[in-house]
Amino acid sequence: MRFIDECTLRVEAGDGGDGAVAFRRAKYIPFGGPAGGDGGDGGDVIFEADPGLGTLLDVKHLRVVRAADGGRGQGKDCYGRAGADKIVRVPLGTVVFDLDTNQRLFELVHNHQRQVVAKGGHGGRGNIHFTTPVDRAPRKAEPGTPGMKRSLRLELKVLADVGLLGFPNVGKSTLISAVSRARPKIADYPFTTLVPHLGVVQIGDASRGLGRSFVLADIPGLIPGASEGTGLGIRFLKHLERTRVLLHLVTLEPDPARSAIDDYRVVREELAHFDRELLHRPEVVALSKCDLPDVREAYPALKDEFQKIGVELRMVSAATHEGLTDLMHELAELLW
């Protein structure tokens, strides 16, 4: 399944039906009077948050979504039928913008939450409403009003408790596959992860009702300039906005020009440029790949370096699961 987190869409609500001009005709009633009914209201376009959807793929292929028009008024005081609403199901975490003004309209963050995005037009009044003492047989009626039409931009921000971030190839995908059932692609080249992956981490014994769980999001690797669109850039930085805790992975790089603490500072700077509020989120920092001898040997010195800037550095290995249980419990405590 393709991960689609942005798309555009045209929505058109139904037009209201016209009111009717009609007169009552019955035997022995020569002046029956007006009998034209009102037109029906047009249908609304409604967005509904569906917890069963994970991407905007089902909406991406839609170009225009139209609701039904209201029916015309009829004689014998009969009103037109209201147009049927059109419900568009989108994943949780969808943010809706007006494409022309770039105004943020609303976001859907609760299961089955609904929001009217385009209001249908009102039906016009029939001539039964225009009778006066002077004009007892009015021959006028109102037309229905047009429904709202607008172009939208939809943006999906994944809903997760913990955001997993760091440079490419620090072991994020391996870690999420070790602590959950998520199975992202794992390889030894940069930007293996091209889309966010969500995994559910279970803490405790769920079979006895004693367990707790949280959602961990693997965010594609960040590099210098990410907040300006470099690499995978802003497209995936936005997914961190909904997380409550950050898990920052660093590791020992073979490139002598890079260091774990410099990588940490670079990612923090990109977070600050994108949204300074992210700097105030609870954060856990861990040195990954400690199953490698050179990483393990470097840990004491790296821990001292991080302590100088007020950061406690943990040591974990997704390959051997060393330190993962304690790390997941620490994250759970920050969440609860």
Side-chain angles (χ1 to χ4, degrees), residues 164 169-180 182-184 186 216 218 247 249-251 286-292 295-296 314-325 327-328:
L164 179 56
N169 282 105
V170 295
K172 300 186 300 296
S173 297
T174 307
L175 187 143
I176 196 173
S177 65
V179 299
S180 72
R183 292 295 178 265
I186 299 172
L216 179 64
D218 173 17
L247 173 56
L249 290 190
V250 295
T251 194
L287 179 70
S288 63
K289 305 182 182 181
C290 73
D291 53 292
L292 301 177
V295 176
R296 182 175 293 274
R314 291 81 172 165
M315 183 173 65
V316 297
S317 168
T320 63
H321 288 219
E322 180 181 350
L324 290 186
T325 300
L327 181 63
M328 294 303 109

Side-chain angles (χ1 to χ4, degrees), residues 129-138:
H129 295 285
F130 295 97
T131 303
T132 67
V134 177
D135 187 1
R136 304 302 298 272

Side-chain angles (χ1 to χ4, degrees), residues 160-162 213-215 243-245 330-336:
D161 299 303
V162 179
S213 63
F214 62 85
V215 178
T243 58
R244 296 158 53 196
V245 175
E330 183 176 358
L331 293 172
E333 290 301 321
L334 290 174
L335 291 169
W336 297 304

Side-chain angles (χ1 to χ4, degrees), residues 33-315:
D38 297 352
D41 291 339
D44 301 333
V45 178
I46 301 171
F47 282 5
E48 179 180 355
D50 187 341
L53 297 178
T55 80
L56 291 169
L57 181 62
D58 292 340
V59 183
K60 174 95 173 162
H61 72 279
L62 301 177
R63 291 291 179 264
V64 181
V65 174
R66 296 186 179 91
D69 294 336
R72 296 173 58 90
Q74 304 294 325
K76 298 183 181 179
D77 299 341
C78 292
Y79 285 25
R81 177 178 295 178
D85 295 335
K86 180 66 175 180
I87 298 176
V88 180
R89 290 178 171 80
V90 296
L92 283 167
T94 299
V95 186
V96 181
F97 298 84
D98 187 294
L99 186 61
D100 298 321
T101 66
N102 206 33
Q103 177 189 2
R104 177 174 171 152
L105 302 177
F106 58 86
E107 56 184 325
L108 301 171
V109 295
H110 303 294
N111 288 347
H112 304 295
Q113 177 184 348
R114 286 190 173 191
Q115 182 73 42
V116 176
V117 70
K119 186 69 177 174
H122 294 293
R125 293 182 296 172
N127 68 337
I128 59 175
H129 295 285
F130 295 97
T131 303
T132 67
V134 177
D135 187 1
R136 304 302 298 272
R139 295 180 177 274
K140 63 179 180 178
E142 288 179 339
T145 60
M148 180 184 291
K149 297 173 176 60
R150 66 199 317 179
S151 297
L152 304 174
R153 177 170 63 87
L154 277 60
E155 185 177 289
L156 174 62
K157 297 179 182 179
V158 297
L159 294 174
D161 299 303
V162 179
L164 179 56
L165 70 157
F167 263 65
N169 282 105
V170 295
K172 300 186 300 296
S173 297
T174 307
L175 187 143
I176 196 173
S177 65
V179 299
S180 72
R181 293 186 178 181
R183 292 295 178 265
K185 182 179 180 180
I186 299 172
D188 59 355
Y189 53 83
F191 297 112
T192 307
T193 300
L194 297 177
V195 299
H197 292 280
L198 299 180
V200 178
V201 179
Q202 186 69 41
I203 304 293
D205 189 354
S207 62
R208 300 175 58 187
L210 302 176
R212 295 183 296 181
S213 63
F214 62 85
V215 178
L216 179 64
D218 173 17
I219 306 300
L222 304 176
I223 60 175
S227 60
E228 299 175 356
T230 304
L232 299 177
I234 297 174
R235 182 178 177 189
F236 296 115
L237 267 171
K238 66 186 179 184
H239 292 296
L240 291 173
E241 290 181 323
R242 296 192 187 279
T243 58
R244 296 158 53 196
V245 175
L246 302 180
L247 173 56
H248 194 150
L249 290 190
V250 295
T251 194
L252 191 65
E253 291 293 334
D255 184 357
R258 285 177 54 188
S259 68
I261 196 164
D262 288 340
D263 288 354
Y264 173 77
R265 289 190 175 115
V266 167
V267 172
R268 294 286 290 180
E269 287 174 4
E270 295 305 323
L271 294 181
H273 292 156
F274 179 74
D275 184 354
R276 293 199 64 85
E277 195 276 332
L278 290 173
L279 297 180
H280 304 294
R281 300 276 170 88
E283 180 188 53
V284 176
V285 183
L287 179 70
S288 63
K289 305 182 182 181
C290 73
D291 53 292
L292 301 177
D294 53 345
V295 176
R296 182 175 293 274
E297 291 174 5
Y299 173 68
L302 289 174
K303 184 176 182 180
D304 291 339
E305 285 188 51
F306 275 87
Q307 281 182 340
K308 292 177 182 178
I309 61 172
V311 176
E312 182 180 352
L313 184 66
R314 291 81 172 165
M315 183 173 65

